[in-house]
């Protein structure tokens, strides 16, 4: 598969925060702490989360501190110009899933990215037309008001100080700037912040200051989120976008609303899985793949054996074929609940042969596909972080601008980088998006609609008590990474760090390629080829973060050993 001259293989390497070539040697367990844990891709963001806990905040405040700080120190991946999905397990046992996904502007049209009848990916990936209405800030504010303990303005001020004083970029940040240099140069404010603000060839340790972003955070602290959604930022953004060929209006910002949704629930070998519902495909397919895999004795196969990789990949293929047909924003399209049915998994699992890669020709038909839907009232570009506290609040949050530096548009004078999540729609049936994902009617563009996502912030419970908060970055590989972390925790008894360190695989049905990390070893890779898989070997695939319950009742946390992140606790 080719997309903008890049193969999926190359994309998987450049996506997410996973550019370090070899995972660090796994340390058993991960970081441990008794009273709370925070795991993010960046030590400065992790420390901001821990500071929030120390200041009397709970896991929700810690997550908000992480999100706001990641928008400063990891701003090419996520920020308030983008969106997020937030899964919270509250100490009283309630599960809350907040949909902060971007929406298409009111003037968006189904064929808006077609030129001469063909989808033009440049338009959906860079510049004014690529931008969806951002939902992260509204979601953080909603979570803060309803479930947090610290004032949002305190967390904004702490993140503003990091933006104002500057921070040393990590090697991944430096590589993202180098790789996106040409695209960033096309947008004057992005050029000023990221290209003039850093040396010509940026490297780890270079200092980046973002005074405009600090001012924006402080404006929100002083004036509330209305500054962003109904005030100066909305009008400035709309003006810039309209004068540069886009269709976003200030009214689109004023209309934006966080949607509290009903989580998707599944079970796997006696554990409860709670994850994010549509418009994410993540939760649905993590649970669907677990349903398929429950029918196989993975433990007997052995972690990372050829049998294990083959079986998991076959299950992924079946689920991603379903994704291409059935998944979209449930407020606009009918997403069948039957995708989560164990009986449906039993039927689909018959397609998995132990000795041979199967040819999956298309989506299956889940039970009651025409009658039972997710209902409206249910209610490595990207980043995932997890937090927990001693009271029993656990958070899994995945946030994103979509691809590196999103649309590359920095709204003049604000330091705020805007997403390019319009590219997560299906611009034309069967035409792959940036991630090589194909979609159809269910994910076609419509005014006010939310593009389909793979973000999978997931919490695993045993007897009603959380034991794991996990999720990942990296487009569709988010689903695979989250799944593998759960399998390694539940089937193989691994700690968070070991579960994240394990070798990864990914199959998304189209293209028909099985991506595996080299760490599986030559013998396993040769055996997979023998079974008919087109194997693409990656040095490193993805970036996941996890917090787990320690045997002593405390917490274990781990940032992805492939990256430069940190887990730390209280
Ligand atoms: N932009 C990646 C996702 O939402 O799946």
């Amino acid at each position: 598969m080719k997309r903008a001259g890049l193969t999926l293989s190359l994309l998987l390497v450049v996506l997410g925060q996973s550019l370090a070539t070899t995972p660090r040697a796994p340390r058993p367990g991960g970081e441990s702490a008794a009273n709370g844990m925070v795991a993010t891709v960046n030590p400065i963001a992790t420390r901001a989360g821990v500071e929030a806990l120390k200041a009397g905040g709970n896991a929700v405040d810690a997550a908000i501190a992480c999100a706001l700080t990641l928008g400063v120190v990891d701003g090419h991946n996520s920020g308030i110009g983008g969106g997020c999905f937030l899964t919270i397990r509250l100490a009283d046992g309630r599960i809350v899933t907040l949909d902060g996904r971007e929406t298409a502007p009111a003037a968006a049209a189904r064929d808006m990215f077609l030129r001469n009848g063909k989808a033009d990916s440049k338009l959906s990936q860079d510049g004014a037309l690529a931008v969806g209405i951002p939902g992260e800030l509204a979601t953080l504010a909603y979570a803060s008001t309803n479930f947090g303990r610290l004032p949002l303005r305190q967390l904004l001020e702490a993140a503003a100080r990091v933006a104002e004083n500057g921070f040393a970029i990590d090697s991944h940040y430096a590589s993202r700037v180098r790789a996106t240099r040409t695209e960033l140069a096309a947008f004057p404010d992005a050029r000023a912040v990221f290209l003039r603000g850093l040396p010509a060839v940026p490297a780890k340790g270079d200092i980046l200051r973002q005074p405009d972003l600090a001012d924006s955070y402080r404006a929100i602290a002083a004036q509330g989120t209305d500054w962003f959604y109904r005030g100066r930022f909305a009008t400035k953004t709309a003006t810039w976008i309209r004068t540069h060929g886009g269709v976003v209006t200030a009214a689109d910002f004023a209309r934006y609303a966080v949607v509290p949704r009903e989580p998707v629930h599944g079970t796997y070998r006696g554990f409860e899985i709670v994850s994010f519902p549509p418009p994410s495909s993540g939760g649905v397919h993590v649970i669907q793949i677990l349903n398929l895999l429950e029918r196989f004795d993975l433990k007997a196969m052995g972690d990372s054996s050829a049998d294990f990789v083959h079986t998991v990949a076959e299950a992924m293929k079946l689920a991603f074929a379903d994704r291409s047909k059935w998944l979209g924003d449930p407020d606009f399209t009918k997403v069948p609940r039957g995708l989560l049915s164990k009986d449906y998994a039993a039927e689909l699992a018959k397609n998995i042969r132990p000795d041979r890669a199967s040819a999956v020709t298309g989506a299956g038909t889940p039970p009651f596909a025409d009658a039972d839907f997710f209902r409206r009232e249910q209610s490595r570009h990207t980043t995932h972080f997890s937090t927990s506290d001693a009271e029993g609040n656990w958070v899994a949050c995945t946030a994103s601008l979509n691809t590196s530096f999103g649309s590359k548009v920095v709204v003049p004078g604000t330091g705020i980088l805007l997403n390019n999540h319009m590219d997560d729609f299906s611009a034309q049936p069967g035409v792959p998006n940036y991630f090589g994902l194909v979609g159809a009617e269910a994910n076609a563009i419509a005014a006010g609609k939310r593009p389909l996502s793979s973000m999978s912030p997931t919490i695993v419970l045993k007897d009603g008590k959380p034991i794991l908060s996990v999720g990942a970055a990296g487009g569709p590989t988010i689903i695979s990474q989250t799944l593998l972390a759960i399998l390694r925790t539940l089937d193989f008894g691994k700690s968070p760090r070991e579960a994240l360190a394990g070798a990864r695989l990914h199959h998304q049905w189209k293209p028909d390629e099985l991506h595996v990390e080299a760490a599986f070893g030559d013998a396993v890779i040769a055996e997979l080829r023998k079974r008919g898989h087109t194997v693409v070997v990656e040095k490193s695939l993805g970036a996941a973060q996890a917090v787990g319950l320690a045997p002593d009742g405390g917490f274990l946390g781990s940032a992805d050993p492939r990256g430069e992140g940190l887990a730390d606790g209280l």
Side-chain angles (χ1 to χ4, degrees):
M1 187 260 322
K2 291 256 182 200
R3 191 77 188 145
L6 290 176
T7 61
L8 176 60
S9 171
L10 179 56
L11 283 174
L12 292 174
V13 175
V14 300
L15 296 188
Q17 298 84 359
S18 57
L19 284 197
T21 49
T22 351
R24 284 198 295 267
R27 273 175 267 146
E31 312 313 320
S32 64
N35 293 312
M37 180 59 70
V38 177
T40 85
V41 296
N42 188 289
I44 302 167
T46 296
R47 287 191 196 106
V50 174
E51 283 307 313
L53 291 175
K54 281 188 187 156
N58 60 17
V60 175
D61 297 303
I64 295 167
C66 292
L68 293 170
T69 310
L70 284 167
V72 176
V73 298
D74 193 55
H76 53 93
N77 276 320
S78 69
I80 61 174
C84 67
F85 292 139
L86 191 53
T87 303
I88 307 172
R89 189 273 187 184
L90 293 165
D92 63 10
R94 276 178 298 155
I95 306 277
V96 177
T97 39
L98 298 179
D99 174 356
R101 186 68 161 166
E102 296 87 338
T103 53
R110 179 189 184 82
D111 294 342
M112 63 190 277
F113 296 121
L114 303 193
R115 296 294 178 269
N116 301 319
K118 285 176 96 174
D120 182 344
S121 61
K122 188 82 186 147
L123 295 176
S124 60
Q125 289 171 15
D126 295 344
L129 274 180
V131 177
I133 314 308
E136 182 180 290
L137 179 63
T139 308
L140 300 181
Y142 185 105
S144 174
T145 304
N146 291 284
F147 311 113
R149 197 169 288 148
L150 301 177
L152 183 62
R153 63 173 184 283
Q154 181 178 330
L155 305 175
L156 281 158
E157 174 54 33
R161 279 198 297 272
V162 179
E164 186 174 59
N165 297 336
F167 70 99
I169 62 171
D170 61 22
S171 63
H172 183 65
Y173 199 118
S175 80
R176 294 292 79 223
V177 175
R178 293 196 302 268
T180 322
R181 186 164 200 93
T182 311
E183 291 83 357
L184 288 169
F187 300 97
D189 273 62
R191 193 164 63 222
V193 176
F194 303 110
L195 301 187
R196 276 199 232 108
L198 287 167
V201 183
K204 177 177 169 143
D206 288 334
I207 303 294
L208 179 65
R209 291 187 180 79
Q210 298 166 88
D212 286 350
L213 184 57
D215 288 349
S216 293
Y217 275 16
R218 287 184 176 128
I220 298 163
Q223 298 170 41
T225 56
D226 272 359
W227 176 84
F228 189 92
Y229 287 103
R230 288 182 179 75
R232 199 166 154 65
F233 181 74
T235 44
K236 241 184 167 178
T237 304
T239 304
W240 189 91
I241 287 194
R242 301 291 281 202
T243 51
H244 289 81
V247 295
V248 169
T249 63
D252 287 321
F253 272 80
R255 212 178 284 123
Y256 187 85
V258 179
V259 182
R261 295 194 186 269
E262 209 176 275
V264 285
H265 288 266
T267 58
Y268 182 70
R269 305 195 205 280
F271 292 87
E272 187 187 356
I273 314 295
V274 179
S275 193
F276 214 89
S280 181
S281 63
V284 167
H285 292 307
V286 167
I287 291 171
Q288 184 189 16
I289 299 169
L290 288 171
N291 285 343
L292 286 160
L293 293 175
E294 204 172 32
R295 313 192 66 75
F296 298 85
D297 189 349
L298 298 181
K299 200 168 174 181
M301 291 177 191
D303 185 3
S304 303
S305 64
D307 285 343
F308 171 86
V309 177
H310 169 78
T311 309
V312 174
E314 290 295 285
M316 285 176 178
K317 253 155 79 174
L318 291 162
F320 272 95
D322 278 356
R323 183 189 192 279
S324 72
K325 172 167 178 176
W326 297 112
L327 269 287
D329 181 346
D331 295 350
F332 286 75
T333 192
K334 293 176 172 175
V335 183
R337 284 188 163 274
L339 290 164
L340 299 177
S341 140
K342 297 252 187 214
D343 289 344
Y344 179 51
E347 267 316 296
L348 277 188
K350 290 181 187 156
N351 296 305
I352 301 179
R353 289 178 44 178
D355 56 333
R356 206 67 222 139
S358 59
V360 176
T361 52
T365 305
F368 306 111
D370 54 357
D372 185 16
F373 310 111
F374 288 95
R375 282 172 293 122
R376 182 185 172 83
E377 61 273 21
Q378 292 160 1
S379 226
R380 273 157 50 72
H381 317 118
T382 298
T383 193
H384 176 83
F385 47 98
S386 289
T387 63
S388 62
D389 66 32
E391 288 167 44
N393 300 295
W394 288 57
V395 178
C397 183
T398 314
S400 185
L401 292 175
N402 197 20
T403 62
S404 289
F405 296 94
S407 64
K408 289 74 176 184
V409 174
V410 171
V411 179
T414 70
I416 296 175
L417 193 52
L418 297 173
N419 68 87
N420 61 349
H421 264 130
M422 291 298 286
D423 191 63
D424 270 353
F425 280 115
S426 174
Q428 206 175 19
V431 173
N433 70 3
Y434 182 88
F435 298 101
L437 290 165
V438 288
E441 195 50 42
N443 191 31
I445 302 171
K449 189 173 175 180
R450 294 171 191 228
L452 182 60
S453 172
S454 298
M455 298 192 291
S456 316
T458 299
I459 294 177
V460 178
L461 303 101
K462 178 73 179 163
D463 303 326
K465 300 268 180 267
I467 61 150
L468 182 72
S469 163
V470 65
T477 73
I478 291 172
I479 294 175
S480 312
Q481 296 174 61
T482 305
L483 171 83
L484 288 167
I486 293 171
L487 294 179
R488 287 188 164 122
T489 305
L490 304 189
D491 281 294
F492 299 102
K494 303 264 166 95
S495 67
R497 183 174 294 271
E498 292 164 335
L500 299 188
R504 293 193 175 131
L505 65 132
H506 174 70
H507 200 308
Q508 62 183 54
W509 177 51
K510 283 188 180 174
D512 184 7
E513 292 170 352
L514 170 55
H515 293 256
V516 297
E517 286 187 330
F520 280 111
D522 293 344
V524 167
I525 291 167
E527 175 59 26
L528 292 165
R529 291 198 165 115
K530 216 164 95 193
R531 292 187 199 187
H533 294 281
T534 303
V535 180
V536 180
V537 180
E538 315 281 356
K539 281 183 184 159
S540 169
L541 201 162
Q545 272 59 241
V547 168
L549 193 65
D552 65 0
F555 302 103
L556 290 173
S558 182
D560 198 309
R562 293 157 189 77
E564 298 157 277
L566 176 74
D568 198 3
L570 187 66

